[in-house]
Amino acid sequence: MCGVFGIYGHVNAIDAAVLALRALQHRGQEAAGIAVANGVRQPKVRKGLGTVIQVFSKEVLQDLNERGPFAAIGQTRYSTKGTNTLVNAQPHWAESLQELFAIADNGDMLNLPEQKARLEKMGIDILSGNDAEIKIKTIAAEYLINRVGPLEQAIIAMSEQIQGVYSSCLLTRDKMYAFRDPHGIRPLSLGKLDTGWVVASETCAFDVINAEYIREIEPGEILIFDQNGVRSVNGMKACRKSLCIFEFIYFARPDSIIYDKLLEEARKRMGEELFREYPLEADMVIGIPDTGLPGAMGYSKASGIAYERGCIKNSYIGRSFIEPQQFMREHAVQIKLNFMERVIRGKNLVAVEDSIVRGTTSERIVQMLRQARAEKVHLLLTSPPYKRPCFYAIDTGRREELIAARMSVPEIASKLGVNTLGYLSLDGLYRAIGLERELFCDACFTGDYPIPMEHEPSKFEGE
Amino acid sequence: MCGVFGIYGHVNAIDAAVLALRALQHRGQEAAGIAVANGVRQPKVRKGLGTVIQVFSKEVLQDLNERGPFAAIGQTRYSTKGTNTLVNAQPHWAESLQELFAIADNGDMLNLPEQKARLEKMGIDILSGNDAEIKIKTIAAEYLINRVGPLEQAIIAMSEQIQGVYSSCLLTRDKMYAFRDPHGIRPLSLGKLDTGWVVASETCAFDVINAEYIREIEPGEILIFDQNGVRSVNGMKACRKSLCIFEFIYFARPDSIIYDKLLEEARKRMGEELFREYPLEADMVIGIPDTGLPGAMGYSKASGIAYERGCIKNSYIGRSFIEPQQFMREHAVQIKLNFMERVIRGKNLVAVEDSIVRGTTSERIVQMLRQARAEKVHLLLTSPPYKRPCFYAIDTGRREELIAARMSVPEIASKLGVNTLGYLSLDGLYRAIGLERELFCDACFTGDYPIPMEHEPSKFEGE
Amino acid sequence: MCGVFGIYGHVNAIDAAVLALRALQHRGQEAAGIAVANGVRQPKVRKGLGTVIQVFSKEVLQDLNERGPFAAIGQTRYSTKGTNTLVNAQPHWAESLQELFAIADNGDMLNLPEQKARLEKMGIDILSGNDAEIKIKTIAAEYLINRVGPLEQAIIAMSEQIQGVYSSCLLTRDKMYAFRDPHGIRPLSLGKLDTGWVVASETCAFDVINAEYIREIEPGEILIFDQNGVRSVNGMKACRKSLCIFEFIYFARPDSIIYDKLLEEARKRMGEELFREYPLEADMVIGIPDTGLPGAMGYSKASGIAYERGCIKNSYIGRSFIEPQQFMREHAVQIKLNFMERVIRGKNLVAVEDSIVRGTTSERIVQMLRQARAEKVHLLLTSPPYKRPCFYAIDTGRREELIAARMSVPEIASKLGVNTLGYLSLDGLYRAIGLERELFCDACFTGDYPIPMEHEPSKFEGE
Amino acid sequence: MCGVFGIYGHVNAIDAAVLALRALQHRGQEAAGIAVANGVRQPKVRKGLGTVIQVFSKEVLQDLNERGPFAAIGQTRYSTKGTNTLVNAQPHWAESLQELFAIADNGDMLNLPEQKARLEKMGIDILSGNDAEIKIKTIAAEYLINRVGPLEQAIIAMSEQIQGVYSSCLLTRDKMYAFRDPHGIRPLSLGKLDTGWVVASETCAFDVINAEYIREIEPGEILIFDQNGVRSVNGMKACRKSLCIFEFIYFARPDSIIYDKLLEEARKRMGEELFREYPLEADMVIGIPDTGLPGAMGYSKASGIAYERGCIKNSYIGRSFIEPQQFMREHAVQIKLNFMERVIRGKNLVAVEDSIVRGTTSERIVQMLRQARAEKVHLLLTSPPYKRPCFYAIDTGRREELIAARMSVPEIASKLGVNTLGYLSLDGLYRAIGLERELFCDACFTGDYPIPMEHEPSKFEGE
C-alpha cells in the first residue's frame, strides 16, 4: 500500500502535490518523493526517507520550484517486503540522453526476479529492489530500445510482461500518464481543478486542494494528459475488476470515496451488520481507534447500546526510531492506546475492531481492557477471518503467521481471552458495502486470487 | 504549557521517562530533554529541538544510560513567548564544582527581568531567555552562595523571590525534588511503581508505565525523594488554589485525572450542560476534533440528536516546518480537518468546539461546513467567552487579539456566519466539572488574576 | 588546471586512484571525484567538494568498491572561472538506458555557450556550468543519437565541434579511453603496472603507485583500453604541439617529467640562466617557497653565492574557509610564509620567485623582507613578464589585472620596492628547458595564442 | 606535544588566536579549541576535532565574537596516549555558579590516576581522560573549596599535587594566567602587541601577528595579566631547568627561537657537527624533508659536497582518515615523499634525518632510495640513539619499540641496509646548539629523567 498523486497543468503543482501527499500520508510514512516537469527540461526528482513534511523542507521545495513546473507526480511509500532505504524510495525513473521518465506507483510484482534478469540481459542496470524501477525501465526499454511507440503502447507492452499490481502516474518532459493494472487492485481516481487535472489513490487528496472528483480510472485504462487536455486509451488485456476489499475495511481513509461509497458510511453499516449477526446485550460499545470507531457507532445505532470512547489514542506517536529495549517493547501498544479505567471498570462491553491478522495486538488490547477491569469483553470484527497472505502490495506475512489460518474461531477466542469473538460474514460485509462481490479481490478471506500464480512467490524487495 | 516528568528509584528510569514524555507530548512538541542521576556522578543532561522521538535517538539514550541511572527528570516544551532554540530547551541546570542541579519545569514568570538582573549582579551568567534557568539558578544561588540549606529551604527562598508559576522536578546527584507554586496553577501528580516513585504533569503519563496514581502534589508543597523514600515539606507562603480552568477545557488529555475528575467525563458533561442552555433542534451533532468530541457526545446524549463524525482529522500532520507559501497557507486548516460532504450536505447541525480565542480557525471551520453544504450551523462552545490574556504559561496573544474582548456574542456570530453561537456559562462549566469555582483560575473569562500584578508584563522569552 | 587519472585492469583500481589523485592534489583542491567500472554494470560515480582525503571517506570507498571494479577514472578540480559547487565537480557523465559514459577532464572551452545551446536544441539537458559535461554529452550525442561509432569516432566528432583544451579519461562499462586535444595544451602521460595500465596528468602520480612511465599521450591521440590491452587511434585534425609553458614554470610538481625533462632540473637551470642574465653580487640567495626554491639553488650554484632558507612555509595552511575579516586578510601571506629576521637582517639578498601575475603577493613578500631588515632585495623571476590572459584552463584574471600588461619593468620594480627586478628572457627560459619554443604555448608572454579566437571569450563557468 | 596560545587586552583577540594557532598547527592537528573572555560574563569555550581551520568555521567565530572579547586562550592538540575524542579536546574548564576557569595546556601527568581519584572523592566529576581537566579542576578545587587564594596560590597548590609537565594559559572572566612547570620541559614565551600581551608555545606564533618577542616564561613562573598589565609571581618549588632536547631536534618550527637560538641555525650547525664526526666522501647531500633539510645544508656547507633536493614532499597530505587497506598501507610513506630517480640514480649520497625512533620509516626511506637506484646511502642523524621512552607529552611508545634500545648501531645499519649509519654525539649536539647540557632534559638518550618516578607509569589517557 502506497499513496500516489499526479497533477497536470497547474501553476502551484508542487504545493498541491505536497498537500495531497500529506492527505495520503496514511498510505505510507517510510519515504516520500516528487518529480516535476516544466515542458522544457527533463523531469527533476527529489525524494527522501520519512514523512512528506520531513522530506520536503523549504530548500527541497525551492529546488523543485526553480524550474517553474506545471506538472508533478508524487508518492508516499509503505514498504511491503523490502528495506526502507533511499534507493527504494519513489519516484523511480529511466533515462536516456534526451528523455527522463519518472513513475510514482502503488503496486507489487509477482515475477520481479524474472523481469529483472530480462532487463539486465539487455544491459539495463537495476539499482533498487523496488518493483516500480522494473516497471518504468520496462516501459523505457520498450519505447527507447524496441521502438514501441507512442508511449502508451510501451505501457501496454509493459502490462504484458509484468504480472502484478500497479496504480501509477508517469511523468515525461511535457506529458503525464495515469494507468491502472487490468484488475484494478489498488484504487486510482481522476479529479479536476479550475485549471488542470489531478489523479490520486484516494479522493481525500482531492478535498484538501478543492479538486472536484470526476471518476475512477478504470482497470486497464491509460489516461494521457497533455496540452490538449486528457484522453483515455484502452489496450491492456481485459480482466475482471478486483479491488482490494481491505481498502474498504482498513486502508482507505473514512472520508474517501471508492466505487461511489463513502467509507465512513460503509464502515458504519458493517457495525450494523455485526449487530444483525451478533445481537449481544452490553452496557456500552467502544471502537478500537481509529478504524474501529465507525463500526462501533454503527453497532450502537443498530443496537441502541450507548457508544462511548473507552480508549484514547495518543496523536503524537508517529513512527518510532528507537531500538526497542525490553521495557519499551512491553509498552508498545500502551503508548498508542490508553483504556480509561473510570469508563470501563465493571462494564459488559462490545469492542469493535477492523480485523485480526497475527493476533498479537488484539491479545494486548484485550489484556489492557481486563487491566481496566472490564467485566465482559465481546470482540467483534468488521471482516471475516484473515486466512491467506496478500501478494498485492500489502505485507501480511507468511500464511503460518496468520492466526486464522492456524486456529478455529473458538480457539482464537480462547487465546485472546474474550467472552465473545465475532467475525462479520462475507455476505454481511458485502451487504454493508452495498456492492457485488464480483468487483473485489477477497483472496485473504477466500484464497480466490485474481492473478494466477504458478507457485507462491518467494520473498523479494517490494513496493 | 509544558509536560514535566520525574522518576526516582527505578532501574529503567530513562525508558520510563521516554514513554511518559511521549504520553505528555501534547503539552509541547518544540523541544524535549532528560536529565539522569546515578547517585555517584553529577546529573547528565541531554536535550534537543523537536519531539521526544526526534530528540531521543538510540545514541542519545545509550549515552544517558551508560551511567546506570536510577533517577531521571524530563520535559517536553511548548514555548509560550520565547523562541524555540536549543538554549531555551529544558532541563536547565546550575552547577558548581561539586554539584549540578537540573530542573524540568512547567511554568512562567512575571518578574523575570528583575530577577535576571539580580542574579547577574551576583556574577551569575544567564544564558537563555527561559524562566526555568532563572529558577534553578536562584535556588542554586541561595544554596551555594547564601548558604541557605538544606535544598528545600533554598526552594522556599526561591518561591519568595519569584512571582510566577511552576510545577517542577529538580534532580541532584542523589535526590529528586518535586514542587508546585503556592497557587498550583499547573497540575502535578504523584504516582508509584513497584519500585520507585514518579511525578507527572498528567496522570496519562502514569498509565503508560503502569504506575499507580497516588495523589496530586499540593500547591506550595515540596516532595523530597531519596533513599529513604518520599517525604513532604511545606513552607511556601499559602495562597488559594488556582488550577488553570483550561486544563479542564482543552489542555489536559481526556484520559487524565485532575482533582479526581476524568476529563473525558467532565467534557461530556459540558456538552450536556450546553444542551440545557441551548436546547436546539437539529439533524445531527458533530464535534470538532479532537477536543470537541466528548462535548458533542454529551450534547447528543442529553438531546437525543444523533452523534456523527462529520469531520475526519488527518493523524499525520505533526508540526510543519515549511515556510508557508500563499497556496499552502490557504489550505492550512483543510489539511488537518476534512468535513465529509456526504455526511453534512443538507443537514441542520450542531457543531461543538472547546473555545474561540482569535476566531480565525473557527471562521475557517464554518466556511468548510458551508462548503460541505451544511444547511444550518449551530456552533456551541464548552467554555465562556475568552476575554483576557493569560500570563501563566499559555500563549494566547495580547488582549486586542482576543475576539471576545472586542466583539459581542451576536457580532461574533455574524462574523463567523453561524445560525447560532452559544457559549457555555461559567456556572454551567463548573456544574459540568462538579467542583467549586474557588479551586480554579478563570482569569481568561473573568479577569480575576490570582497573582497580583502591578502592571501587565512586557513581552519576554518564556518557558 | 586540474588533475586527471585513469587506471584499467587492476584489482586495486580505487586505492590506486585515491593515491594517484592525492599525488595530483596540487592541481586542484576544490573538488574530487572517481568513477569506477566492473565490466558488468554501468560506471558508478562518487564526487564531492574538498580534497581527495575529505571526499573519499571510508564509506564512500566501500560504496565504490562493492562492485569489484577493475577500472577507475578520477579528477581533482581547480575551478578556473566557475563556482565551486557540487554540480560542477567531476567526473561528469552522459547516460542512456543501457550506457553510462563518465569523463575526467583537465580542460576548458572557448565556444561553450554555442555548444550548450546546440545540445539543448537536441533535447539534452545541461545541468552544470562545467565544460566537461558539454564534452561528454557531445560525445554521447554523436554516439547515441547521430549513431557515430565506434566511440573513438564520436570523440573525434566532438573534437570537431569543440574549440578548446582537453586532456581526458573516459570510462564506459568495460572500456577506458584517454585522449588529448590536438594542441596538447595540458599534459597527459601513459604508464604501466604489473597488471594494467594507468594514465595521469603528471608522472608523479605514477611514482606513488610504482607504475612505470611509458610515454606521453600525443596531442590529438586517442588511447583505447580494453581486455585486449591498449591501442592508439589518430583521427583528430593535426595542429602544432602547444604545451602550456607554465607547466614547466609553476604548475607541475618538480618531481614530474614532461617532454622527458625532470622539472626540478629544468627549474634549477632557469636559476642558472638567471645568473647569466643578472650576475649580481649578494650575500645570499633565497627562494620563495615552494616553486622558487630550485631556481634559487640554480642561481647559487652558478654564482657561488650561498643558498639559504630565509623563509619557512607553514605546511598546514590548506584552504581557508574563513570569511576573511580585515585583521585576517592583512595576515594572509604572513600565515603562509615566515621570513626569519635572524637570517635576513642586514643582508644583500637575491630572492628567486617563479612569476608575477597581479603583483599583490610579490609586493607583500618584499614588504616582509624589508620588515625582516633585508638591506638589499634583488627579485628575480624564472619567467618573462606575464602580459596576456590565459584561456586554456588557468584563471589569471582579465588583462587589465596583469601588472606587466600595465607597467614597464622599472615601474614594477619601483612599485614593489626592490633594488633589482629581473625577468628571465624567453630565450633564457627555453635554453633552461632545453627544448624548442615550437613545442609550447607561451601566449601569456607573447600573445601568440595557438587556438584562433574571433573575439576574447566572455566570462563563463569553467573547468 | 601541543600548541598553546594566549592573548590579553586586544580587540582582535579571536582572530589573533586563530592565526597564532595556525602557526602552531605542527604541534597538534587532532583537535583545536579557544576560550574567550570579555570581563563581564564567564569565559565561553568552543572546540572541535580537526585542524584550526576545520574547527573554527565562520559560525563558530561569530559565536565566540558576539560577546566582544578582549582575551582568548587556545590550544591545538596532539594526543600522546589518549583517544582523539571531543571530550579530550582543550580548553578544559572548571566551573562554579559564579566562575569559570578555562585552561589551554601543553603537558602530561605522571600521577593522573591518583589525582583523579582524589578529586572524585571530593565529589568532583572527571569527564575526560585528559590531564588538563585534572589540572584545572585541581586549581579550582583549591580555590573554591579549600579557599586557597588568590588564584595564583591555587596554581602553586596544584603544582605541589601534580607530578608532571605543563606550559599553560588559564582564563577567567577578567584575567589571564600563564605558567610553566618547575622544570620548564615544554617551551612558553611572552610577547607584546601594540595593545595587549601574548603568550605562545613557540615564537613563530608571534611573527604571524606581528607581536614582539619579549622573553621566555621561566620554569615555575606564573604571569598574571589584568587591567594593570602583567606581573610575575614565583612560588613553585624550584627545580633545574630541563627543556626537552627534542624541541631543538624535531618539534619546534625552524623559524622559532628558544633559549635565544633560532632553530634553523642550530639545526644547520648539527649538520656541520655531523661532518666533523663523519667526514664522508659523497656526490651529494640530501635532507629528508622537512626536519632533515637544515642538517643537510649544514653538512653541505661544512663538507663542500653539493646540496640537492633528492626528495619532494607532497604538501597536501594532511591527516588521513582512511581506514588503511593493505594496498594503501604499503604506500603510506611513498605518498608523502617522492625520491627523484633522475637526481639520485648512480649517486653516492649522504642523507640527513633528525632521528630514528622505531626504525620503520627510516627502513622504508632507505628502500625508496635504493629503488631510485642510489649507489651508496650514508644515513646521518642529527641526534644520538633514541633509547628511552618519554613521559613528558610525547608518544614514543614503549621501550621495547625503540630500535636503539634493542640493537647496536651496526645492527641497525644492517637492518636498514645503509652503507654508513652515523648518529650525532651528545657532545656534538650540545656544541651545535651552543648551550650547556644542564638546561635540557635528554632522558630519551641518557635515561636521566628530571622528574623522579617510583615506577614507570602505566598507559593512561594523556594530553
Side-chain angles (χ1 to χ4, degrees), chain C residues 18-26 29 51-54 204 208 253 290 313-319, chain D residues 29 51 54 290 312-322 328 331-338:
Chain C
V18 168
L19 285 168
L21 289 178
R22 289 173 71 187
L24 297 173
Q25 190 76 77
H26 64 291
Q29 298 98 48
T51 61
V52 177
I53 285 294
Q54 287 166 342
C204 64
V208 76
R253 269 176 51 164
D290 285 332
K313 188 183 167 192
N314 186 335
S315 314
Y316 298 91
I317 288 306
R319 293 190 59 79
Chain D
Q29 298 98 49
T51 61
Q54 287 165 342
D290 284 333
I312 298 300
K313 188 182 167 192
N314 186 335
S315 315
Y316 299 91
I317 286 306
R319 294 190 57 79
S320 167
F321 297 104
I322 294 178
M328 294 245 183
H331 296 77
V333 178
Q334 221 165 334
I335 186 67
K336 274 196 208 165
L337 301 177
N338 193 12

Side-chain angles (χ1 to χ4, degrees), chain A residues 81-144:
Chain A
K81 308 187 188 67
T83 53
N84 186 30
T85 51
L86 186 55
V87 78
N88 280 329
Q90 296 203 29
H92 280 284
W93 70 85
E95 106 183 82
S96 75
L97 207 53
Q98 295 163 299
E99 306 278 357
L100 190 150
F101 306 130
I103 194 169
D105 175 45
N106 176 21
D108 217 331
M109 261 180 83
L110 299 177
N111 62 337
L112 189 146
E114 296 80 358
Q115 186 66 8
K116 185 182 175 198
R118 191 174 159 184
L119 291 174
E120 287 180 337
K121 216 168 149 187
M122 294 173 78
I124 299 169
D125 282 0
I126 303 302
L127 305 168
S128 77
N130 188 282
D131 56 289
E133 186 192 358
I134 305 285
K135 290 169 189 164
I136 193 64
K137 290 196 170 166
T138 299
I139 294 168
E142 290 299 322
Y143 184 70
L144 295 169

